[in-house]
């Protein structure tokens, strides 16, 4: 996903084979605090690229039928997190989603955009984390895991994903997934919204 060539080819192959596109999931992500530019490329720039390709192929203004984009961010994109660059990329994905989910954009392209924000989930991401951030920060993360009651399992995240598929009235919203359950972070209106 770090260049346009491959994803563009993949999107076109899907459209050629299936006659269209209905759902885009921008899931790829890494922890890489030392090679931080790689982290920004994979976690943020690639997600912008995936959203733009999804809007290009699904957008009604381009002859598409509308559709859904689900971006994978993290609770680290909402609250403070020991890996600052990782957190920055995830907060960027939350902001990107909220902005793409504005009503005037949906009115034009008919594409709903949401973001899933899980807490610590036991996947290869966790078991491969050693060496991707400082020992001090990884220890802080472990302390957060213990304070939070442990790790989510993949089915917990899937529940949040399915909720986003179903809730078609939450355009632009972020869905937080923790061991305490699912919680929407809506698109709080800005100061310009007040009468
Ligand atoms: N595991 C967690 O604790 C956790 C919590 C919140 C959010 N997330 C996010 O969930 C998403 C999935 O992570 P995961 O937990 O399944 O970890 P994972 O490491 O198992 O999966 C990450 C996937 O991204 C792919 N990937 C990485 N760089 C890529 C690139 N340049 N091009 C294409 N694919 C690339 C990898 O091949 C891998 O399949 C990530 O965005 C991650 O930031 C993970
Ligand atoms: C409160 C915010 C949580 C957000 C999760 C975030 O998106 C991703 C976290 C990335 C890395 C976490 C690494 C944690 C490492 C330590 O917990 C490590 O000790 C875990 C070892 C797990 C194992 O191998 O058994």
């Amino acid at each position: 996903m770090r260049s346009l060539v491959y994803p563009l080819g993949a999107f076109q192959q899907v459209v050629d084979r299936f006659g269209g596109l209905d759902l885009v999931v921008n899931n790829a992500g890494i922890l890489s605090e030392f090679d931080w530019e790689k982290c920004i490329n994979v976690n943020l720039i690639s997600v912008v690229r995936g959203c733009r390709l999804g809007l290009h192929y699904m957008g009604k203004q381009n002859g598409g039928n509308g559709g859904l984009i689900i971006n994978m961010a993290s609770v680290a994109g909402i609250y403070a997190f020991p890996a600052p660059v990782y957190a920055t990329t995830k907060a960027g994905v939350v902001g990107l989603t909220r902005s793409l989910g504005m009503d005037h954009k949906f009115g034009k392209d008919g594409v709903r955009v949401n973001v899933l924000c899980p807490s610590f989930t036991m996947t290869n991401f966790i078991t491969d984390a050693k060496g991707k951030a400082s020992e001090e920060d990884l220890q802080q993360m472990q302390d957060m895991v213990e304070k939070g009651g442990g790790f989510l399992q993949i089915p917990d995240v899937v529940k949040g994903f399915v909720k986003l598929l179903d809730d078609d009235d939450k355009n632009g919203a972020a869905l937080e997934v923790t061991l305490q359950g699912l919680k929407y972070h809506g698109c709080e209106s800005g100061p310009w919204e007040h009468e």
Side-chain angles (χ1 to χ4, degrees):
M1 285 301 289
R2 287 168 63 190
S3 76
L4 178 60
V5 174
Y6 302 110
L8 179 58
F11 273 75
Q12 191 57 54
Q13 278 182 38
V14 168
V15 170
D16 292 344
R17 178 168 178 188
F18 297 103
L21 193 61
D22 304 296
L23 170 65
V24 172
V25 181
N26 290 305
N27 179 63
I30 61 173
L31 178 69
S32 179
E33 291 298 299
F34 300 120
D35 185 352
W36 55 271
E37 289 173 323
K38 180 180 179 183
C39 184
I40 293 171
N41 273 324
V42 174
N43 293 13
L44 183 56
I45 292 173
S46 301
V47 174
V48 175
R49 182 173 292 122
C51 287
R52 290 174 62 88
L53 284 168
L55 291 165
H56 173 74
Y57 282 100
M58 297 190 289
K60 289 181 176 174
Q61 77 279 24
N62 301 325
N65 300 316
L68 171 60
I69 298 173
I70 295 180
N71 293 321
M72 185 61 76
S74 163
V75 172
I78 299 172
Y79 308 111
F81 187 65
V85 175
Y86 177 84
T88 300
T89 66
K90 296 304 187 180
V93 172
V94 171
L96 172 72
T97 303
R98 283 184 169 148
S99 301
L100 289 177
M102 294 181 79
D103 290 345
H104 72 286
K105 288 182 178 292
F106 183 77
K108 184 181 67 173
D109 55 42
V111 178
R112 173 163 63 95
V113 191
N114 286 110
V115 57
L116 197 57
C117 298
S119 186
F120 296 100
T121 309
M122 188 44 75
T123 67
N124 293 338
F125 196 93
I126 299 292
T127 52
D128 294 345
K130 190 164 179 54
K132 306 290 177 57
S134 71
E135 280 305 310
E136 178 190 19
D137 287 337
L138 287 173
Q139 183 55 55
Q140 185 67 23
M141 294 177 203
Q142 182 61 35
D143 295 348
M144 293 167 77
V145 168
E146 288 162 11
K147 283 176 187 165
F151 289 94
L152 291 166
Q153 300 301 319
I154 290 171
D156 300 317
V157 180
V158 170
K159 275 185 194 149
F161 185 87
V162 170
K163 183 166 180 58
L164 284 178
L165 293 176
D166 291 340
D167 289 356
D168 58 8
D169 61 343
K170 294 284 192 298
N171 195 14
L175 182 62
E176 177 185 313
V177 185
T178 67
L179 289 171
Q180 288 69 44
L182 305 177
K183 175 184 173 187
Y184 270 112
H185 291 257
C187 306
E188 292 76 17
S189 56
W192 46 83
E193 298 289 336
H194 303 302
E195 297 302 324

